[in-house]
Amino acid sequence: MDYFLSLLGPLAQGALVTLKLFFITVALALPLGLLLALARVSHLRALSAAVNGYIWLMRGTPLMLQMLFIYFALPFVPVVGVRLPDFPSAVVAFTLNYAAYFAEIFRAGILSVDRGQYEAARVLGMNYRQTMRRIVLPQMVRNILPPLSNETITLVKDTSLIYVLALNDLLRAARGIVQRDFTTSPFIVAAAFYLIMTLVLTWGFQRLERHHARYDA
């Protein structure tokens, strides 16, 4: 028991890195994903096609590859030529990747709103911006909660990919102790940390779903 308790400190430090990356990614990727979704459903074909190509690129290549590209290859790209430290590189890669996934979730939510709602808003004299803000987006939120919950939980687990940049996240901290002590017990404690994180997220999204379900009655 004392051994398990001794693991909590170093693994908690790794969990802080995991949580920091998670919250920064969510804070940046959600608004960016919404903007991409609005551009994707716009009537400007060139803009919609460009965003569609971006989403295809981000979803069609591994997140780890994108992270390695930003960290190792971006400094050699002509004109751009920026060298980012390890953690900012991870933040940029996760934000750009997850914004693409969130954009598709938001787009599906926008398209799920009945076309009659747009016509009713037009009759009431609302412009496009007012229609989106007052009519479409509130209904979209209710429709996208289940897939958004799934993608957010996946994000928690994907943060373990930052080990390729030698960042000391939860899983890398556990692996270091395993190699030092020749026991797999740290993996069990790390799994408990991940389960607690995903449990909190699941609980939060279920409360949100119940809150919005009250208006369906």
Side-chain angles (χ1 to χ4, degrees), residues 89-110:
S89 295
V91 169
V92 171
F94 271 79
T95 299
L96 294 179
N97 181 277
Y98 268 85
Y101 284 94
F102 287 149
E104 283 301 272
I105 293 174
F106 288 139
R107 185 174 72 90
I110 292 171

Side-chain angles (χ1 to χ4, degrees), residues 1-20:
M1 188 63 185
D2 290 341
Y3 179 71
F4 278 96
L5 291 176
S6 70
L7 297 176
L8 295 180
L11 292 184
Q13 290 181 354
L16 285 178
V17 176
T18 296
L19 288 173
K20 184 179 176 185

Side-chain angles (χ1 to χ4, degrees), residues 110-131:
I110 292 171
L111 295 178
S112 69
V113 177
D114 190 82
R115 296 300 303 175
Q117 301 280 334
Y118 293 87
E119 296 170 5
R122 194 176 301 118
V123 170
L124 292 173
M126 294 185 186
N127 57 32
Y128 177 79
R129 187 174 178 179
Q130 291 171 326
T131 302

Side-chain angles (χ1 to χ4, degrees), residues 96-180:
L96 294 179
N97 181 277
Y98 268 85
Y101 284 94
F102 287 149
E104 283 301 272
I105 293 174
F106 288 139
R107 185 174 72 90
I110 292 171
L111 295 178
S112 69
V113 177
D114 190 82
R115 296 300 303 175
Q117 301 280 334
Y118 293 87
E119 296 170 5
R122 194 176 301 118
V123 170
L124 292 173
M126 294 185 186
N127 57 32
Y128 177 79
R129 187 174 178 179
Q130 291 171 326
T131 302
M132 281 293 172
R133 184 164 57 86
R134 297 179 182 178
I135 306 293
V136 177
L137 295 185
Q139 296 183 66
M140 177 203 73
V141 170
R142 182 187 58 194
N143 295 338
I144 66 170
L145 281 177
L148 192 62
S149 167
N150 187 53
E151 204 59 41
T152 308
I153 289 172
T154 301
L155 171 59
V156 173
K157 294 178 288 184
D158 276 354
T159 55
S160 62
L161 293 174
I162 61 175
Y163 80 91
V164 296
L165 300 183
L167 286 165
N168 203 31
D169 74 311
L170 175 57
L171 187 58
R172 191 166 187 268
R175 191 177 60 175
I177 300 173
V178 167
Q179 292 172 338
R180 183 194 66 191

